[in-house]
């Protein structure tokens, strides 16, 4: 019998019981794949991250899993929450890296910028520049979301697959009322994502219920065991790239995306598009901690 320390954080927020809940487990060694799956399923959050410090690679390493037996390779709340935890706990994860900070997920180096203001730790993760891929017929997407095609008419934008770390479908929604009314058919969503080669559906409207946000969003990814996610960094990056491509936002300027309102976990995701890549940023707070047994 072995015990591992775990932490529960709310990510993309500085308030407890808001944001996207994330379990982070510290392990000094790699676990069996079945153990990763079992622990992630036991926690039941959209993602569970497993972390340790590799002296050989001089880096903090993260592996993340969904309850649906899938390993996440993108830099989203799974990575941001893990790094925020290290900062909150005072773990010196950048001690051998000099001025340029980075962590590793699935053998990929993710550049970071960290800061602290009034005791709140803020982490910015650099994603790759966005790739605008295929459009998906609006009527097909609307049917899977329980909406009319008219509900997807926003600035003549089309549902479009966009990729930074991973590919998601950006789904324009005409207003906040239509965004609230979406009632996904998971079987149809799975069929569409498999047919067009992407992961999740990121619904967005520029008609946000809150001021100071460039967009309000909802995210569905039933193919990987995620029904509705309160905050999705791997989708916020592609959305920023898409909005920049259609000239709705400018480069080198920070914008806020609101997500999670309808699941009572409002989250604030900051994005900034640069010529070198897209920065996705936010903060996190610890909600609880304890030990698990394997």
């Amino acid at each position: 019998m072995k015990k591992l320390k775990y932490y529960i954080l709310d990510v993309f927020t500085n308030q407890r019981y808001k944001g996207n809940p994330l379990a982070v487990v510290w392990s000094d060694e790699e676990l069996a794949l079945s153990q990763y799956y079992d622990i992630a399923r036991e926690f039941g959050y959209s993602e569970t991250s497993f972390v340790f410090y590799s002296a050989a690679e001089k880096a903090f390493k993260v592996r993340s899993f969904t309850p649906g037996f899938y390993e996440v390779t993108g830099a989203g709340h799974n990575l941001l929450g893990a790094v925020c935890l290290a900062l909150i706990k005072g773990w010196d994860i950048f001690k051998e890296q000099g001025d340029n900070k980075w962590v590793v997920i699935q053998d990929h180096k993710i550049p970071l910028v960290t800061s602290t203001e009034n005791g709140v730790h803020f982490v910015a993760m650099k994603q790759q520049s966005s790739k605008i891929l295929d459009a998906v017929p609006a009527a097909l997407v609307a049917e899977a979301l329980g909406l009319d095609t008219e509900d997807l008419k926003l600035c003549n934008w089309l549902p479009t697959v966009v990729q930074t770390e991973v590919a998601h479908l950006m789904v324009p929604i005409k207003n906040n009322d239509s965004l609230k009314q979406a009632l996904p058919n998971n079987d149809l969503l799975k069929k569409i994502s498999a047919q067009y080669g992407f992961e999740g559906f990121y619904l967005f409207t520029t008609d946000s219920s809150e001021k100071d946000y460039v967009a309000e969003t909802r995210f569905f990814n039933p193919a990987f065991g995620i029904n509705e996610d309160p905050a999705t960094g791997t989708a916020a990056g592609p959305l920023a790239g898409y909005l920049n491509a259609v000239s709705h936002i400018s480069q080198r300027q920070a914008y806020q995306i609101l997500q999670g309102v309808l699941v009572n976990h409002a989250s604030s995701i900051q994005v900034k598009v640069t010529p070198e890549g897209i920065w996705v940023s936010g903060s996190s707070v610890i909600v609880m901690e304890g030990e698990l047994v394997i």
Side-chain angles (χ1 to χ4, degrees), residues 142-148 150-152 173-185 203 218 220 228 262:
E143 180 185 4
L145 293 172
L147 297 173
D148 295 327
E150 289 293 318
D151 292 315
L152 273 63
I173 303 294
K174 70 177 181 181
N175 56 37
N176 191 261
D177 287 339
S178 294
L179 183 71
K180 292 178 181 177
Q181 292 167 9
L183 187 62
N185 180 317
L203 284 60
R218 298 177 70 185
F220 308 109
E228 180 159 4
L262 292 184

mmCIF file of all heavy atoms in Angstrom, residues 142-148 150-152 173-185 203 218 220 228 262:
data_model
loop_
_atom_site.group_PDB
_atom_site.id
_atom_site.type_symbol
_atom_site.label_atom_id
_atom_site.label_comp_id
_atom_site.label_asym_id
_atom_site.label_seq_id
_atom_site.Cartn_x
_atom_site.Cartn_y
_atom_site.Cartn_z
ATOM 1 N N ALA A 142 -25.746 22.688 -35.385
ATOM 2 C CA ALA A 142 -26.933 23.174 -34.689
ATOM 3 C C ALA A 142 -27.806 22.015 -34.224
ATOM 4 O O ALA A 142 -28.303 21.999 -33.083
ATOM 5 C CB ALA A 142 -27.726 24.105 -35.597
ATOM 6 N N GLU A 143 -28.007 21.019 -35.084
ATOM 7 C CA GLU A 143 -28.826 19.860 -34.712
ATOM 8 C C GLU A 143 -28.242 19.146 -33.492
ATOM 9 O O GLU A 143 -28.975 18.754 -32.572
ATOM 10 C CB GLU A 143 -28.914 18.886 -35.882
ATOM 11 C CG GLU A 143 -29.746 17.652 -35.570
ATOM 12 C CD GLU A 143 -29.729 16.626 -36.691
ATOM 13 O OE1 GLU A 143 -29.005 16.830 -37.686
ATOM 14 O OE2 GLU A 143 -30.439 15.609 -36.559
ATOM 15 N N ALA A 144 -26.923 18.976 -33.473
ATOM 16 C CA ALA A 144 -26.269 18.276 -32.362
ATOM 17 C C ALA A 144 -26.334 19.068 -31.068
ATOM 18 O O ALA A 144 -26.190 18.493 -29.979
ATOM 19 C CB ALA A 144 -24.817 17.976 -32.729
ATOM 20 N N LEU A 145 -26.542 20.374 -31.167
ATOM 21 C CA LEU A 145 -26.586 21.235 -29.982
ATOM 22 C C LEU A 145 -28.014 21.583 -29.566
ATOM 23 O O LEU A 145 -28.218 22.358 -28.626
ATOM 24 C CB LEU A 145 -25.812 22.531 -30.245
ATOM 25 C CG LEU A 145 -24.300 22.361 -30.422
ATOM 26 C CD1 LEU A 145 -23.674 23.669 -30.878
ATOM 27 C CD2 LEU A 145 -23.640 21.879 -29.124
ATOM 28 N N GLY A 146 -29.004 21.025 -30.268
ATOM 29 C CA GLY A 146 -30.385 21.319 -29.937
ATOM 30 C C GLY A 146 -30.784 22.741 -30.270
ATOM 31 O O GLY A 146 -31.689 23.309 -29.640
ATOM 32 N N LEU A 147 -30.140 23.341 -31.267
ATOM 33 C CA LEU A 147 -30.401 24.722 -31.657
ATOM 34 C C LEU A 147 -30.871 24.783 -33.106
ATOM 35 O O LEU A 147 -30.775 23.803 -33.853
ATOM 36 C CB LEU A 147 -29.128 25.572 -31.500
ATOM 37 C CG LEU A 147 -28.559 25.715 -30.092
ATOM 38 C CD1 LEU A 147 -27.216 26.436 -30.128
ATOM 39 C CD2 LEU A 147 -29.528 26.479 -29.176
ATOM 40 N N ASP A 148 -31.368 25.944 -33.512
ATOM 41 C CA ASP A 148 -31.683 26.202 -34.909
ATOM 42 C C ASP A 148 -30.441 26.762 -35.601
ATOM 43 O O ASP A 148 -29.585 27.379 -34.953
ATOM 44 C CB ASP A 148 -32.827 27.208 -35.038
ATOM 45 C CG ASP A 148 -34.133 26.661 -34.474
ATOM 46 O OD1 ASP A 148 -34.354 25.431 -34.568
ATOM 47 O OD2 ASP A 148 -34.912 27.467 -33.920
ATOM 48 N N GLU A 150 -30.295 29.312 -37.292
ATOM 49 C CA GLU A 150 -30.305 30.763 -37.072
ATOM 50 C C GLU A 150 -29.529 31.136 -35.809
ATOM 51 O O GLU A 150 -28.967 32.227 -35.720
ATOM 52 C CB GLU A 150 -31.744 31.276 -36.969
ATOM 53 C CG GLU A 150 -32.506 31.275 -38.278
ATOM 54 C CD GLU A 150 -31.940 32.268 -39.280
ATOM 55 O OE1 GLU A 150 -31.605 33.393 -38.858
ATOM 56 O OE2 GLU A 150 -31.823 31.915 -40.469
ATOM 57 N N ASP A 151 -29.504 30.242 -34.822
ATOM 58 C CA ASP A 151 -28.810 30.529 -33.572
ATOM 59 C C ASP A 151 -27.299 30.602 -33.762
ATOM 60 O O ASP A 151 -26.580 31.122 -32.892
ATOM 61 C CB ASP A 151 -29.124 29.449 -32.524
ATOM 62 C CG ASP A 151 -30.562 29.482 -32.067
ATOM 63 O OD1 ASP A 151 -31.078 30.585 -31.799
ATOM 64 O OD2 ASP A 151 -31.181 28.405 -31.978
ATOM 65 N N LEU A 152 -26.794 30.069 -34.869
ATOM 66 C CA LEU A 152 -25.353 30.052 -35.126
ATOM 67 C C LEU A 152 -24.918 31.190 -36.044
ATOM 68 O O LEU A 152 -23.781 31.218 -36.508
ATOM 69 C CB LEU A 152 -24.930 28.709 -35.740
ATOM 70 C CG LEU A 152 -24.600 27.583 -34.731
ATOM 71 C CD1 LEU A 152 -25.811 27.215 -33.897
ATOM 72 C CD2 LEU A 152 -24.061 26.360 -35.448
ATOM 73 N N ILE A 173 -22.206 31.679 -31.757
ATOM 74 C CA ILE A 173 -23.603 31.701 -31.323
ATOM 75 C C ILE A 173 -24.061 33.159 -31.314
ATOM 76 O O ILE A 173 -23.360 34.037 -30.805
ATOM 77 C CB ILE A 173 -23.759 31.081 -29.923
ATOM 78 C CG1 ILE A 173 -23.223 29.643 -29.900
ATOM 79 C CG2 ILE A 173 -25.219 31.128 -29.480
ATOM 80 C CD1 ILE A 173 -23.995 28.656 -30.744
ATOM 81 N N LYS A 174 -25.246 33.416 -31.832
ATOM 82 C CA LYS A 174 -25.641 34.799 -32.119
ATOM 83 C C LYS A 174 -25.798 35.669 -30.876
ATOM 84 O O LYS A 174 -25.534 36.870 -30.914
ATOM 85 C CB LYS A 174 -26.913 34.836 -32.954
ATOM 86 C CG LYS A 174 -28.181 34.399 -32.240
ATOM 87 C CD LYS A 174 -29.396 34.561 -33.156
ATOM 88 C CE LYS A 174 -30.684 34.156 -32.459
ATOM 89 N NZ LYS A 174 -31.856 34.310 -33.375
ATOM 90 N N ASN A 175 -26.246 35.086 -29.748
ATOM 91 C CA ASN A 175 -26.412 35.906 -28.550
ATOM 92 C C ASN A 175 -26.379 35.022 -27.304
ATOM 93 O O ASN A 175 -26.331 33.787 -27.392
ATOM 94 C CB ASN A 175 -27.704 36.730 -28.593
ATOM 95 C CG ASN A 175 -28.947 35.882 -28.806
ATOM 96 O OD1 ASN A 175 -29.055 34.766 -28.291
ATOM 97 N ND2 ASN A 175 -29.885 36.410 -29.572
ATOM 98 N N ASN A 176 -26.428 35.664 -26.158
ATOM 99 C CA ASN A 176 -26.307 34.943 -24.891
ATOM 100 C C ASN A 176 -27.508 34.040 -24.630
ATOM 101 O O ASN A 176 -27.365 32.966 -24.045
ATOM 102 C CB ASN A 176 -26.125 35.939 -23.746
ATOM 103 C CG ASN A 176 -25.740 35.281 -22.446
ATOM 104 O OD1 ASN A 176 -26.579 35.057 -21.596
ATOM 105 N ND2 ASN A 176 -24.461 34.957 -22.307
ATOM 106 N N ASP A 177 -28.698 34.456 -25.069
ATOM 107 C CA ASP A 177 -29.877 33.613 -24.880
ATOM 108 C C ASP A 177 -29.730 32.287 -25.612
ATOM 109 O O ASP A 177 -30.047 31.224 -25.061
ATOM 110 C CB ASP A 177 -31.133 34.345 -25.367
ATOM 111 C CG ASP A 177 -31.557 35.469 -24.434
ATOM 112 O OD1 ASP A 177 -31.156 35.438 -23.249
ATOM 113 O OD2 ASP A 177 -32.272 36.382 -24.884
ATOM 114 N N SER A 178 -29.253 32.332 -26.844
ATOM 115 C CA SER A 178 -29.054 31.101 -27.609
ATOM 116 C C SER A 178 -27.959 30.244 -26.987
ATOM 117 O O SER A 178 -28.048 29.010 -26.981
ATOM 118 C CB SER A 178 -28.705 31.431 -29.065
ATOM 119 O OG SER A 178 -29.793 32.053 -29.717
ATOM 120 N N LEU A 179 -26.923 30.893 -26.453
ATOM 121 C CA LEU A 179 -25.847 30.151 -25.786
ATOM 122 C C LEU A 179 -26.410 29.347 -24.608
ATOM 123 O O LEU A 179 -26.061 28.172 -24.414
ATOM 124 C CB LEU A 179 -24.771 31.127 -25.304
ATOM 125 C CG LEU A 179 -23.533 30.499 -24.654
ATOM 126 C CD1 LEU A 179 -22.684 29.785 -25.687
ATOM 127 C CD2 LEU A 179 -22.693 31.570 -23.940
ATOM 128 N N LYS A 180 -27.291 29.965 -23.833
ATOM 129 C CA LYS A 180 -27.884 29.291 -22.682
ATOM 130 C C LYS A 180 -28.768 28.124 -23.101
ATOM 131 O O LYS A 180 -28.897 27.136 -22.369
ATOM 132 C CB LYS A 180 -28.706 30.283 -21.865
ATOM 133 C CG LYS A 180 -27.905 31.367 -21.156
ATOM 134 C CD LYS A 180 -28.841 32.322 -20.423
ATOM 135 C CE LYS A 180 -28.078 33.430 -19.726
ATOM 136 N NZ LYS A 180 -28.997 34.400 -19.072
ATOM 137 N N GLN A 181 -29.407 28.237 -24.262
ATOM 138 C CA GLN A 181 -30.388 27.240 -24.685
ATOM 139 C C GLN A 181 -29.765 25.979 -25.277
ATOM 140 O O GLN A 181 -30.478 24.988 -25.478
ATOM 141 C CB GLN A 181 -31.338 27.867 -25.708
ATOM 142 C CG GLN A 181 -32.247 28.926 -25.116
ATOM 143 C CD GLN A 181 -32.961 29.758 -26.162
ATOM 144 O OE1 GLN A 181 -32.916 29.452 -27.359
ATOM 145 N NE2 GLN A 181 -33.617 30.818 -25.728
ATOM 146 N N ALA A 182 -28.480 25.988 -25.556
ATOM 147 C CA ALA A 182 -27.842 24.812 -26.149
ATOM 148 C C ALA A 182 -28.026 23.594 -25.248
ATOM 149 O O ALA A 182 -27.745 23.632 -24.054
ATOM 150 C CB ALA A 182 -26.357 25.077 -26.373
ATOM 151 N N LEU A 183 -28.516 22.507 -25.842
ATOM 152 C CA LEU A 183 -28.746 21.258 -25.121
ATOM 153 C C LEU A 183 -28.141 20.134 -25.964
ATOM 154 O O LEU A 183 -28.790 19.583 -26.855
ATOM 155 C CB LEU A 183 -30.243 21.032 -24.902
ATOM 156 C CG LEU A 183 -30.633 19.837 -24.022
ATOM 157 C CD1 LEU A 183 -30.081 20.028 -22.611
ATOM 158 C CD2 LEU A 183 -32.148 19.679 -23.986
ATOM 159 N N PRO A 184 -26.878 19.789 -25.703
ATOM 160 C CA PRO A 184 -26.147 18.909 -26.608
ATOM 161 C C PRO A 184 -26.648 17.469 -26.621
ATOM 162 O O PRO A 184 -27.068 16.932 -25.594
ATOM 163 C CB PRO A 184 -24.716 18.977 -26.084
ATOM 164 C CG PRO A 184 -24.844 19.386 -24.657
ATOM 165 C CD PRO A 184 -26.040 20.280 -24.597
ATOM 166 N N ASN A 185 -26.600 16.876 -27.798
ATOM 167 C CA ASN A 185 -26.827 15.446 -27.993
ATOM 168 C C ASN A 185 -25.447 14.802 -28.072
ATOM 169 O O ASN A 185 -24.757 14.930 -29.088
ATOM 170 C CB ASN A 185 -27.624 15.215 -29.279
ATOM 171 C CG ASN A 185 -27.903 13.747 -29.548
ATOM 172 O OD1 ASN A 185 -27.036 12.888 -29.394
ATOM 173 N ND2 ASN A 185 -29.122 13.456 -29.988
ATOM 174 N N LEU A 203 -18.514 26.661 -27.851
ATOM 175 C CA LEU A 203 -19.535 27.621 -28.235
ATOM 176 C C LEU A 203 -19.144 28.987 -27.692
ATOM 177 O O LEU A 203 -18.755 29.109 -26.530
ATOM 178 C CB LEU A 203 -20.896 27.214 -27.664
ATOM 179 C CG LEU A 203 -21.653 26.073 -28.328
ATOM 180 C CD1 LEU A 203 -20.871 24.776 -28.291
ATOM 181 C CD2 LEU A 203 -23.026 25.895 -27.680
ATOM 182 N N ARG A 218 -19.135 28.171 -23.798
ATOM 183 C CA ARG A 218 -19.447 26.875 -23.196
ATOM 184 C C ARG A 218 -18.642 25.817 -23.949
ATOM 185 O O ARG A 218 -18.396 25.974 -25.162
ATOM 186 C CB ARG A 218 -20.940 26.559 -23.274
ATOM 187 C CG ARG A 218 -21.823 27.542 -22.534
ATOM 188 C CD ARG A 218 -23.302 27.204 -22.705
ATOM 189 N NE ARG A 218 -23.656 25.961 -21.987
ATOM 190 C CZ ARG A 218 -24.863 25.393 -22.056
ATOM 191 N NH1 ARG A 218 -25.812 25.930 -22.824
ATOM 192 N NH2 ARG A 218 -25.118 24.270 -21.384
ATOM 193 N N PHE A 220 -18.105 21.549 -24.684
ATOM 194 C CA PHE A 220 -18.576 20.170 -24.590
ATOM 195 C C PHE A 220 -17.582 19.247 -25.283
ATOM 196 O O PHE A 220 -17.186 19.509 -26.426
ATOM 197 C CB PHE A 220 -19.949 20.019 -25.256
ATOM 198 C CG PHE A 220 -20.976 21.014 -24.788
ATOM 199 C CD1 PHE A 220 -21.407 22.031 -25.624
ATOM 200 C CD2 PHE A 220 -21.508 20.940 -23.510
ATOM 201 C CE1 PHE A 220 -22.356 22.945 -25.204
ATOM 202 C CE2 PHE A 220 -22.454 21.856 -23.070
ATOM 203 C CZ PHE A 220 -22.886 22.862 -23.923
ATOM 204 N N GLU A 228 -19.853 19.144 -19.720
ATOM 205 C CA GLU A 228 -19.640 20.590 -19.857
ATOM 206 C C GLU A 228 -18.516 21.012 -18.932
ATOM 207 O O GLU A 228 -18.571 20.772 -17.728
ATOM 208 C CB GLU A 228 -20.903 21.396 -19.561
ATOM 209 C CG GLU A 228 -20.662 22.898 -19.702
ATOM 210 C CD GLU A 228 -21.908 23.728 -19.916
ATOM 211 O OE1 GLU A 228 -23.013 23.146 -19.880
ATOM 212 O OE2 GLU A 228 -21.777 24.953 -20.110
ATOM 213 N N LEU A 262 -23.105 28.752 -16.550
ATOM 214 C CA LEU A 262 -24.298 27.909 -16.429
ATOM 215 C C LEU A 262 -24.078 26.673 -15.570
ATOM 216 O O LEU A 262 -25.037 25.984 -15.215
ATOM 217 C CB LEU A 262 -24.795 27.503 -17.811
ATOM 218 C CG LEU A 262 -25.358 28.646 -18.667
ATOM 219 C CD1 LEU A 262 -25.910 28.119 -19.973
ATOM 220 C CD2 LEU A 262 -26.441 29.414 -17.920
#
